[in-house]
Amino acid sequence: MEHNLIIANEIIIIALLLVAIIASMTLRHLKMPYTIGLVLIGYGFSEFIVPHIDALKPIGPYFPAVDIILYIFLPPLIFESAIAVNTRLLNRNLFPVLCLAIFGVIISAGIIGYMIAWYFAIPLLFALLFGALISSTDPVAVISIFKEVGVPKRLQILVEGESLLNDACSIIMFQLVLLLISHPLLKNDLSFFETSALFTSQLLTSFVGGVFIGVIAGLILRVILRKTPLHSHIHQTATLVAAYLTYLLGDEMGFSGVIAVVSCGFITARAVSDWIGPDRREELNHFWEYIGFLANSLIFLLVGITISSLQDLSLLIKGGILGIFFLIGAVLLARFVPIVGTFAIFNRFTRHKIPFSYQIVCFWGGLRGAVAIALVLSLPLSLPFRDLIIAFSVLTVLFSIFVQGMTIGPLIQYLELGQSRLLRRFYQVYGDIVTSRAAQSSLLKSDLAGIIDSAILDEYIRTYREKSQYTEQKVREFWQEVHQNPDRMSVIRLFWLEALHYEQKQYRQLYDDGLILSPVYAELQYQTTIREDFIQSGNYHPPIRLYAPESRYGLWLYRFIRRIFPNSAMLKSYQNRIDIHLIFASVAVFVASSATIEYLERLSQWVCLDSAEITDIVDFYKKFEQKALSYLTSEHVVGSQNLSYVSGYLAERTAGAGMIHMLGHHIEEGIGDEKTLGHIIDRLIKEKNKAKKKVFLLCGDQIMP
């Protein structure tokens, strides 16, 4: 019997994975958002296929089980999102993200709970249970749209970071409200104060305990990654084990398993960035993208299957259509209030304000999906109002996926936060001209020139030369159209964004080679993100700021201490660290600016653009380059001990990076023994990490062993 049950489960999982494969192939051609298509396919699969195939009929009675949802799907979903987040950029926007994820969820759940309890006349705790589970947002569909239309990274991190953290807060609230429903003390009519105290203590305990477990697991994982910088299979296995183990430990000890996974994922993301090379980092990211694809595919298929199991949703809702409108209105209002309130408060205390257009996208892009469905499917079968809560949840998820998910793209375009029509056309003509030139060049330089029939080869060369000339003419016509188009500044924006992205790549390369420090890299990347926000908002004259060694609050504290203890050793150590960071930053800015200027000049030639069109952008980077050079040649720096130390470090690491790149190239080309060369690269990477640790300690920065 058990053997048959195992086979039945295996058939179910294989069938769902096959459906996911077919769905992925089909939806690519239909250009339909993947998650939306999966819901429709899951519904059709359960409604029209399952009843006619005996082997699949077990899907109806018992699949998905509570344990499968919470312990199989949820940990990888959370960890995949956590490890993919840009933690440095998230740190810079942590205040609004945390406020939305914690207070926003509590306010949202409260608004939904009280409105639903009032309108549908159900007990408040059951309405709050629905409010808690539906307050978590799912960025899967929205982030994929963000990447397609090219929204600013700051907007993406606000949506993605809030979704990741509010998942944790929503799940904690869901579990606590479920506990309050079944808690025997409720029979004694606890007062509002006593209930609030119980809720707060449970929330803090779950949160703090989850963070503690996640940090411990993350630090252990950090050591593993640092000790094995080249072993991809160890990285993948260790992170997969950590995702499940931290969740299980947190849950078993009465803490939040989700918070534990999120904390572990954040530390892992930073460790991956700091201690393993770009190739291995890319492999790990691909591995977790695949795990996320599996989990999300199965979850959204289950959404469709769940819908098909509910015969008539409208009959479960008092008031019919009006009840549905009230439900959706309550959920949207509960989303709107904390969004506007949080950003209004945040904008009063920061120079880098969050535009109202960002707030609108955060509001409308708060889709409900996998986590909400996972929670509602985990409700005990004996729970009163279970079917009603499932109906509420499914209706809300359907509205968010189909209405919000299908309209968020046009909304982004309307708010001019994505690529314009001209930009999309530019990328098309750019691709055409690059490919035609590449084909012609490959034929001219091919090693097969003496083997291929010369007449045939000449014919193909002539064909692609004519195609290149035709494409160049199309590009010139494109620029003529641009100059007559009122939207021509969007093309200037394109070159600004291309320059910024190339500048960021230079910083990433310098950091991977060990030529700049982690805090310096984080600050430089953040400043390029701020400039990107300037450009996206239509301000084509961003400030030229070399480097910000500290936050303004840190600088205020430094100046305050300097007045009281002007000659303290701590201040001298702090100033020494700032000086070294500024030297590293100036070197990075000088190198990145020079490379970006060369790239812009090449790019303008490739796309037949008059270089005078981008003079302002080139001048900006020339001033940026000059500012960095002026600092490096200033009296304060020249001849100083710090410059000597940094110069020695840079010379050593440049040599090391050159050796690593050359050995990696030899491995790719099949030159020499791969195993031996791999061991040498492993040793060189360990030397790089030791050098990074040494310079960290010199700067007075605390790093983990």
Side-chain angles (χ1 to χ4, degrees):
M1 185 68 181
E2 291 182 2
H3 179 69
N4 293 335
L5 185 60
I6 292 173
I7 292 176
N9 279 280
E10 186 176 359
I11 291 173
I12 291 169
I13 294 172
I14 291 173
L16 290 176
L17 290 177
L18 286 174
V19 171
I21 293 171
I22 296 171
S24 180
M25 296 171 62
T26 305
L27 295 173
R28 287 178 184 272
H29 292 288
L30 296 178
K31 295 184 179 180
M32 178 182 289
Y34 183 63
T35 51
I36 296 173
L38 281 177
V39 174
L40 293 174
I41 291 172
Y43 175 82
F45 176 71
S46 179
E47 187 73 17
F48 304 110
I49 297 178
V50 170
H52 304 290
I53 301 177
D54 292 337
L56 298 177
K57 286 182 179 178
I59 287 180
Y62 68 85
F63 191 87
V66 172
D67 292 344
I68 290 178
I69 294 293
L70 293 180
Y71 293 99
I72 302 299
F73 291 157
L74 203 54
L77 275 176
I78 300 296
F79 192 86
E80 188 264 338
S81 298
I83 199 173
V85 166
N86 185 333
T87 54
R88 292 178 172 88
L89 186 55
L90 179 62
N91 288 338
R92 294 290 187 169
N93 296 277
L94 195 58
F95 177 78
V97 168
L98 278 178
C99 287
L100 287 175
I102 298 175
F103 301 111
V105 167
I106 294 173
I107 294 170
S108 174
I111 292 174
I112 293 172
Y114 279 98
M115 291 183 69
I116 295 300
W118 168 76
Y119 186 85
F120 295 103
I122 64 175
L124 178 60
L125 279 179
F126 293 94
L128 287 173
L129 184 66
F130 166 69
L133 70 89
I134 209 64
S135 293
S136 64
T137 56
D138 183 1
V140 175
V142 176
I143 294 302
S144 63
I145 295 172
F146 281 4
K147 291 178 180 179
E148 289 177 8
V149 301
V151 302
K153 290 182 179 178
R154 193 184 188 198
L155 173 57
Q156 182 172 330
I157 202 67
L158 287 171
V159 174
E160 194 172 9
E162 184 225 343
S163 172
L164 183 61
L165 294 175
N166 75 12
D167 281 352
C169 187
S170 177
I171 292 170
I172 292 174
M173 283 194 65
F174 172 81
Q175 293 170 340
L176 292 178
V177 175
L178 200 58
L179 175 67
L180 289 173
I181 289 174
S182 59
H183 204 288
L185 291 178
L186 290 177
K187 297 178 181 178
N188 298 327
D189 295 326
L190 291 177
S191 67
F192 177 79
F193 177 78
E194 291 171 326
T195 304
S196 300
L198 175 63
F199 175 82
T200 303
S201 64
Q202 290 284 350
L203 182 66
L204 289 175
T205 302
S206 297
F207 188 88
V208 174
V211 169
F212 177 77
I213 292 174
V215 168
I216 296 298
L219 294 180
I220 295 173
L221 196 55
R222 179 188 176 96
V223 173
I224 294 173
L225 294 175
R226 184 176 171 187
K227 297 294 184 183
T228 58
L230 290 180
H231 302 283
S232 299
H233 293 163
I234 294 178
H235 303 159
Q236 295 166 7
T237 306
T239 51
L240 188 62
V241 170
Y244 282 106
L245 189 58
T246 50
Y247 186 87
L248 291 173
L249 284 175
D251 187 72
E252 189 67 24
M253 297 176 68
F255 303 134
S256 171
V258 176
I259 288 291
V261 174
V262 170
S263 303
C264 180
F266 282 169
I267 295 177
T268 303
R270 190 64 176 265
V272 166
S273 177
D274 288 348
W275 301 112
I276 67 176
D279 294 337
R280 304 300 182 269
R281 185 171 61 241
E282 195 70 20
E283 290 179 18
L284 186 62
N285 289 338
H286 287 324
F287 170 76
W288 275 101
E289 284 177 5
Y290 169 68
I291 297 295
F293 164 78
L294 284 182
N296 276 296
S297 297
L298 293 175
I299 280 284
F300 281 100
L301 282 173
L302 294 177
V303 174
I305 292 171
T306 303
I307 295 169
S308 69
S309 68
L310 300 174
Q311 297 300 320
D312 192 344
L313 296 178
S314 62
L315 293 178
L316 297 175
I317 300 180
K318 179 185 175 182
I321 298 299
L322 289 178
I324 294 175
F325 282 122
F326 184 86
L327 171 69
I328 299 302
V331 173
L332 291 177
L333 177 65
R335 175 71 180 166
F336 182 78
V337 170
I339 286 284
V340 174
T342 298
F343 288 133
I345 295 172
F346 177 74
N347 284 344
R348 292 182 63 87
F349 298 97
T350 182
R351 290 174 296 182
H352 305 303
K353 302 185 184 303
I354 296 174
F356 186 68
S357 57
Y358 284 27
Q359 300 176 38
I360 294 297
V361 174
C362 287
F363 158 66
W364 197 246
L367 273 65
R368 274 69 175 181
V371 173
I373 292 297
L375 291 178
V376 78
L377 292 178
S378 71
L379 289 173
L381 294 175
S382 60
L383 184 77
F385 304 101
R386 181 179 187 272
D387 286 346
L388 188 60
I389 294 174
I390 290 178
F392 286 163
S393 303
V394 171
L395 279 170
T396 306
V397 169
L398 284 176
F399 175 83
S400 69
I401 288 177
F402 287 101
V403 178
Q404 293 175 257
M406 298 292 283
T407 57
I408 187 67
L411 176 64
I412 291 171
Q413 295 292 355
Y414 175 76
L415 296 173
E416 298 183 350
L417 293 174
Q419 296 175 1
S420 68
R421 181 185 60 84
L422 281 178
L423 290 186
R424 290 193 295 272
R425 280 197 57 202
F426 170 82
Y427 282 123
Q428 182 62 50
V429 297
Y430 172 75
D432 291 342
I433 196 170
V434 168
T435 52
S436 59
R437 287 175 178 174
Q440 180 183 345
S441 176
S442 296
L443 290 170
L444 290 170
K445 299 177 182 178
S446 174
D447 295 332
L448 301 175
I451 300 175
I452 301 176
D453 184 272
S454 58
I456 295 176
L457 184 63
D458 290 342
E459 181 182 351
Y460 272 87
I461 291 174
R462 183 170 57 258
T463 298
Y464 279 102
R465 182 181 293 117
E466 292 173 356
K467 187 175 181 180
S468 295
Q469 293 171 351
Y470 172 76
T471 308
E472 289 176 6
Q473 180 60 34
K474 296 293 289 183
V475 173
R476 293 188 180 92
E477 292 175 2
F478 168 78
W479 289 123
Q480 291 176 359
E481 180 185 343
V482 166
H483 286 90
Q484 299 170 359
N485 195 303
D487 192 29
R488 67 176 298 271
M489 289 307 294
S490 65
V491 178
I492 303 301
R493 180 191 303 176
L494 160 75
F495 280 89
W496 265 114
L497 296 178
E498 284 292 321
L500 288 168
H501 296 162
Y502 193 80
E503 181 188 353
Q504 289 176 329
K505 290 178 184 177
Q506 299 305 304
Y507 295 143
R508 178 78 252 185
Q509 185 62 55
L510 290 169
Y511 180 68
D512 285 339
D513 291 339
L515 297 176
I516 56 176
L517 307 180
S518 177
V520 174
Y521 170 69
E523 178 61 29
L524 292 175
Q525 289 283 35
Y526 176 67
Q527 288 191 19
T528 56
T529 303
I530 292 300
R531 279 187 268 134
E532 184 177 359
D533 281 340
F534 268 93
I535 301 304
Q536 292 281 28
S537 62
N539 187 342
Y540 299 105
H541 300 283
I544 300 177
R545 191 177 189 186
L546 182 60
Y547 180 73
E550 272 289 359
S551 67
R552 53 178 174 171
Y553 304 108
L555 290 175
W556 288 346
L557 179 61
Y558 166 70
R559 291 165 184 161
F560 176 75
I561 296 176
R562 187 173 59 182
R563 291 194 190 98
I564 302 175
F565 307 104
N567 298 317
S568 68
M570 182 180 69
L571 284 180
K572 291 180 180 178
S573 175
Y574 176 86
Q575 186 61 52
N576 185 64
R577 176 168 68 91
I578 295 302
D579 290 343
I580 291 177
H581 284 190
L582 279 169
I583 294 173
F584 274 110
S586 299
V587 170
V589 167
F590 180 80
V591 171
S593 298
S594 302
T596 304
I597 292 170
E598 293 180 6
Y599 170 71
L600 286 172
E601 292 173 348
R602 292 198 307 270
L603 181 61
S604 63
Q605 293 176 0
W606 290 340
V607 297
C608 308
L609 177 71
D610 185 355
S611 57
E613 297 277 356
I614 56 172
T615 301
D616 289 344
I617 308 174
V618 174
D619 287 346
F620 171 87
Y621 278 98
K622 286 182 178 179
K623 292 176 182 177
F624 211 22
E625 178 187 37
Q626 184 58 43
K627 193 168 187 177
L629 184 62
S630 298
Y631 179 80
L632 292 172
T633 56
S634 63
E635 295 182 3
H636 174 70
V637 175
V638 173
S640 66
Q641 184 178 359
N642 286 335
L643 181 61
S644 299
Y645 180 80
V646 172
S647 298
Y649 172 83
L650 291 175
E652 178 187 352
R653 292 314 327 135
T654 300
M659 289 187 284
I660 291 173
H661 288 314
M662 182 55 69
L663 292 174
H665 176 70
H666 281 194
I667 290 176
E668 291 177 1
E669 296 291 327
I671 303 172
D673 180 63
E674 182 176 347
K675 186 175 181 180
T676 303
L677 296 180
H679 285 310
I680 297 174
I681 293 177
D682 198 356
R683 175 175 56 80
L684 290 172
I685 290 177
K686 289 179 179 178
E687 290 177 0
K688 178 184 75 172
N689 291 342
K690 287 181 181 179
K692 287 169 64 176
K693 180 178 179 180
K694 183 178 178 182
V695 76
F696 263 119
L697 294 175
L698 179 76
C699 293
D701 290 320
Q702 299 297 319
I703 64 169
M704 302 312 301

